[in-house]
Amino acid sequence: MKRIDEIFKWQGFGNGFGDWESWCRLQIYEKDQTIIAIATDCGSAAGTSITNCVEFLVPLVAKSYNLDLYRTIWIEHYPSDSSLGESFSEVLLQREGDQLAEPDWKPRSKQEIEQLIGESLS
């Protein structure tokens, strides 16, 4: 069941030029006591990419929506009009104290994500 579908904004990293407003489409689903958060990159005009700041973005989203990080599966989505075409990746992060670090991306198919959330993606 979809709980959230909105644009999420944060202060991204400006490659040495200071922070800049960044945003992505955020969809949050809940199925069988598991939370699935899908962040869709909105392109270079949307500031810092979701991949470049994932260690910062995941805890920020968790705090903003009161999500349990241990029950949340984080998915990065790049739409079909991105430079590499449509892709989905599950992001696995290690805990280092109070920080998340060492991201690892596990490619997933659209069908796997739809099965995970229990409905078709729009």
Side-chain angles (χ1 to χ4, degrees):
M1 174 174 68
K2 188 184 290 188
R3 292 179 19 190
I4 302 287
D5 188 352
E6 62 189 30
I7 298 299
F8 183 78
K9 294 182 180 183
W10 75 95
Q11 289 302 115
F13 316 118
N15 293 333
F17 300 106
D19 295 342
W20 59 30
E21 185 172 70
S22 301
W23 62 93
C24 66
R25 179 181 181 196
L26 180 65
Q27 298 174 80
I28 299 176
Y29 297 83
E30 187 168 4
K31 183 181 175 202
D32 301 328
Q33 305 216 343
T34 299
I35 305 297
I36 303 100
I38 302 173
T40 299
D41 194 88
C42 294
S44 60
T48 306
S49 76
I50 56 176
T51 299
N52 287 343
C53 66
V54 69
E55 302 98 314
F56 170 76
L57 188 56
V58 169
L60 183 61
V61 167
K63 182 177 180 183
S64 297
Y65 295 96
N66 197 30
L67 303 178
D68 180 347
L69 283 174
Y70 294 107
R71 288 183 38 221
T72 303
I73 298 171
W74 184 263
I75 305 293
E76 284 187 359
H77 172 234
Y78 283 83
S80 58
D81 62 353
S82 70
S83 61
L84 299 175
E86 186 166 50
S87 68
F88 293 87
S89 294
E90 180 178 351
V91 181
L92 307 168
L93 291 156
Q94 302 297 317
R95 280 194 176 270
E96 290 184 2
D98 293 339
Q99 303 283 322
L100 295 177
E102 299 183 36
D104 188 26
W105 289 266
K106 185 175 183 178
R108 298 288 189 188
S109 69
K110 183 175 184 176
Q111 292 77 19
E112 287 175 304
I113 302 305
E114 289 176 335
Q115 184 176 10
L116 185 64
I117 64 174
E119 60 185 80
S120 294
L121 286 167
S122 54

